């Protein structure tokens, strides 16, 4: 597995969320409890979706594998979530399915030993001489390990970096890129909708 060290920068408690992951739905969505800093209590069972990646649907090839990979990264762990508002949602960090849109960061102890990493557009391998905490970008880890696409319908500040990671995964045939022509999830969903409409139209004619 390739990790992606990142520095999300400092932020106030009213700018980011502390979340404890309960369940991973698929390769880009999960359920979590969220810490409310002013009430000093946990708000339970909030659905989230990563803002800038799109993983295979569960009915697609590699959908279950993408979900399992994400679960291996974040299930049962505490994340920093940076809410993301998009123009299509009126700059509110909520998608049409009432999920909170976010970028996720995981900080945990990195043990001594050899690691594979992605940093500044390049993959490398190095030796960690002593254990230390490291903060990692979960979206970029899903992309560079080959379990998600970068969303194409939105522009965002770090999109060049994200697309470079995707190209690295594709060139090295990681994850879903082992398939010859993987179908992007937005194309899959569009095709499913068209097939449903066609089937409904056929049913009306019969």
């Amino acid at each position: 597995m390739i990790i992606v060290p990142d520095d999300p920068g400092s932020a106030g408690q009213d700018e980011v969320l502390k979340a404890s992951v309960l369940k991973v739905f698929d390769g880009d969505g999960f359920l979590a409890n969220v810490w409310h800093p002013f009430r000093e209590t946990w708000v339970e069972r909030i659905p989230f979706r990563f803002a800038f990646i799109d993983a295979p649907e569960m009915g697609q090839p590699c959908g279950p594998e993408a979900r399992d990979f994400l679960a291996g990264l974040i299930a049962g762990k505490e994340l920093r979530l940076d809410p993301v508002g998009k123009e299509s949602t009126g700059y509110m960090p909520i998608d049409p399915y009432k999920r909170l849109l976010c970028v996720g960061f995981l900080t945990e102890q990195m043990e001594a030993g050899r690691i594979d990493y992605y940093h500044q557009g390049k993959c490398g391998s190095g030796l960690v001489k002593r254990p230390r905490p490291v903060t990692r970008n979960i979206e970029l880890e899903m992309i560079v390990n080959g379990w998600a696409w970068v969303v194409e319908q939105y522009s965002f500040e770090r999109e060049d970096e994200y697309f470079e990671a995707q190209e690295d995964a594709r060139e090295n045939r990681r994850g879903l890129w082992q398939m010859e022509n993987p179908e992007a999830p937005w194309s899959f969903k569009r095709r499913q909708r068209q097939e449903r409409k066609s089937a409904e139209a056929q049913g009306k004619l019969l």
Side-chain angles (χ1 to χ4, degrees):
M1 187 187 78
I2 299 166
I3 71 166
V4 183
D6 199 6
D7 180 7
S10 59
Q13 62 181 8
D14 58 338
E15 297 175 283
V16 300
L17 303 171
K18 181 172 77 170
S20 177
V21 178
L22 298 172
K23 181 179 180 179
V24 173
F25 297 128
D26 49 30
D28 52 43
F30 59 97
L31 190 71
N33 293 339
V34 179
W35 177 250
H36 195 300
F38 303 113
R39 295 180 189 167
E40 295 190 342
T41 187
W42 288 93
V43 180
E44 296 186 346
R45 303 181 67 80
I46 305 297
F48 288 90
R49 188 193 191 287
F50 289 121
F52 300 122
I53 65 172
D54 206 350
E57 296 293 302
M58 293 304 292
Q60 284 185 265
C62 294
E65 290 87 346
R67 176 200 57 200
D68 292 348
F69 188 85
L70 179 60
L73 292 179
I74 68 171
K77 296 180 181 177
E78 206 168 89
L79 303 179
R80 164 180 161 165
L81 302 176
D82 292 21
V84 174
K86 295 180 178 178
E87 185 177 358
S88 62
T89 62
Y91 297 101
M92 293 294 289
I94 300 173
D95 76 358
Y97 302 99
K98 309 298 184 188
R99 297 174 298 186
L100 283 171
L101 296 167
C102 64
V103 177
F105 300 93
L106 170 67
T107 300
E108 63 180 5
Q109 189 83 339
M110 183 167 58
E111 298 301 328
R114 186 159 294 279
I115 62 158
D116 295 318
Y117 61 87
Y118 182 82
H119 185 60
Q120 296 183 340
K122 293 181 180 178
C123 280
S125 183
L127 190 64
V128 179
K129 294 184 177 179
R130 62 181 183 277
R132 65 176 187 272
V134 62
T135 298
R136 296 153 47 187
N137 183 311
I138 298 303
E139 285 189 324
L140 277 170
E141 289 195 11
M142 290 297 292
I143 294 165
V144 79
N145 285 286
W147 296 114
W149 279 263
V150 184
V151 295
E152 294 185 351
Q153 59 267 55
Y154 311 108
S155 59
F156 58 101
E157 188 177 340
R158 298 178 68 179
E159 65 179 24
D160 289 346
E161 182 182 2
Y162 276 52
F163 279 112
E164 285 173 6
Q166 179 173 297
E167 184 59 21
D168 189 275
R170 188 188 67 79
E171 287 181 354
N172 290 282
R173 299 179 70 84
R174 299 190 199 102
L176 61 87
W177 300 107
Q178 294 174 48
M179 294 187 289
E180 284 303 317
N181 293 296
E183 183 179 20
W186 52 87
S187 296
F188 175 79
K189 286 182 280 191
R190 185 168 56 245
R191 182 168 58 80
Q192 293 282 89
R193 284 194 299 269
Q194 290 169 348
E195 289 174 359
R196 278 197 301 270
K197 285 180 181 178
S198 178
E200 287 169 5
Q202 287 283 70
K204 288 176 181 177
L205 291 173
L206 293 175

